Amino acid sequence: MIAVEAVSARIGAVEVLKDISFSVAPGALLAVLGANGAGKTSLLRAVSNLLPRSGGRVAYDGQDTLGIAPHVLARKGLVHVPQGRQIVPMLSVLDNLLLGAAHLPQNDPDAIRKSLEDEFTRFPVLRERQSIPGGSLSGGEQQMLAVSRALMMRPKVLMLDEPSLGLAPQIARAILRALRDLTQQGVAIILVEQMALGALRIADYGLVLRNGQIALQGSATQLLNDRGLVESYLG
C-alpha cells in the first residue's frame, strides 16, 4: 500500500532523515520507535509531504507522491494524525467528525451516517458527547475524536504520531486496541509511539530510529525478544 524508498530530509542545514526504507501492506501495522529527536515525527511529515524530501521516493497505492499536496494525499486516503490532536475546540464533537467527511466525493448522506455510526460504536463516549464542544473533552476523549475524525476520511493508510501521549494507561491501551482492530478492515497503519512495548505488542513489524537513521528493523516478535533492543532503546 505504501513504500518508502531511501528517503532523506533536511530541516535547514540539519539532516533529520537519512536513507529510510520500508513498506507497509494493506492490513499491516508498523510501529516506529526511538528516543525524542530520533526523527519519528519528521518521517511522518516527509511521507505525507509536509516536510520536503531531499532524496528518495514515496509510493502510495502504486503512485509516486512527489509534488502532490498533503491535503490531496489525505483525500486519496493517506491520512496523517499529528501530535497534539488538533481538533477544532469550538466545534461540537459531531461537527469535528463531519469535518473528516468533508470534500470526499464518494460520501453521500447515507455513507456519512454509516461512518458516524461506526465511530460511535468504536468509541461510545463520542456518541454521549456529540453535542458538546470538542475542547470540553478530556485528553483521552480528544484523542479518540482525533482518531475518529481521521477515520471519517476512509483512510487506506493511517499514520499516527504518538496517540497515547499524556493519556492514562487504560485509555492509551484502548486506543491501541482500536488501531489493531482497524487492520482487520485492511487499513495499513504507521504508528509512532512512546509506549514502545505496547506498540510492538499490537504491531506486525517495527523499526527503531536513531539520529534519523534506521538502527533496527524486523518483525514485532523479533524486536520484542531482542534483549539488547529493550535495554538499549526502550528502557
Side-chain angles (χ1 to χ4, degrees):
M1 184 57 69
I2 190 161
V4 175
E5 303 168 0
V7 163
S8 299
R10 293 180 176 273
I11 297 179
V14 179
E15 189 172 45
V16 293
L17 297 172
K18 184 176 180 180
D19 293 331
I20 304 293
S21 295
F22 62 85
S23 61
V24 187
L29 194 155
L30 172 72
V32 180
L33 312 174
N36 288 338
K40 304 185 300 296
T41 293
S42 295
L43 175 59
L44 296 192
R45 289 174 56 82
V47 171
S48 60
N49 283 351
L50 290 166
L51 174 65
R53 300 188 292 275
S54 57
R57 177 176 183 267
V58 175
Y60 164 63
D61 207 11
Q63 178 183 10
D64 193 325
T65 65
L66 185 65
I68 302 178
H71 72 277
V72 175
L73 285 177
R75 292 177 187 174
K76 289 177 176 288
L78 177 57
V79 177
H80 180 182
V81 181
Q83 258 188 54
R85 299 153 197 159
Q86 298 188 16
I87 64 168
V88 183
M90 298 81 67
L91 291 182
S92 70
V93 167
L94 177 60
D95 285 341
N96 267 280
L97 291 172
L98 291 174
L99 276 179
H103 307 300
L104 291 183
Q106 69 270 34
N107 269 0
D108 58 28
D110 288 339
I112 291 173
R113 279 192 291 270
K114 183 182 184 307
S115 294
L116 282 172
E117 186 58 34
D118 288 344
E119 296 316 309
F120 289 151
T121 300
R122 192 183 322 278
F123 297 122
V125 68
L126 298 182
R127 187 194 303 275
E128 300 168 11
R129 306 277 200 273
Q130 62 179 293
S131 62
I132 70 173
S136 300
L137 301 178
S138 69
E141 291 165 351
Q142 288 188 27
Q143 188 62 69
M144 292 174 184
L145 177 57
V147 171
S148 280
R149 183 180 60 183
L151 295 178
M152 292 288 292
M153 300 184 73
R154 299 184 183 179
K156 297 178 181 176
V157 175
L158 180 64
M159 304 192 299
L160 304 104
D161 195 351
E162 299 195 1
S164 73
L165 186 64
L167 303 185
Q170 66 271 24
I171 300 297
R173 286 192 292 268
I175 289 173
L176 293 182
R177 284 195 301 270
L179 296 179
R180 180 68 252 181
D181 291 344
L182 276 174
T183 62
Q184 305 304 311
Q185 301 173 24
V187 179
I189 295 178
I190 303 173
L191 173 65
V192 166
E193 249 307 321
Q194 279 191 330
M195 289 178 57
L197 296 179
L200 284 175
R201 288 186 183 112
I202 67 163
D204 299 294
Y205 306 96
L207 62 84
V208 180
L209 292 181
R210 182 172 63 180
N211 299 325
Q213 297 178 270
I214 295 179
L216 290 168
Q217 189 171 15
S219 74
T221 301
Q222 289 173 328
L223 296 181
L224 279 169
N225 292 329
D226 187 329
R227 184 180 297 275
L229 168 70
V230 175
E231 293 178 351
S232 301
Y233 295 99
L234 307 182

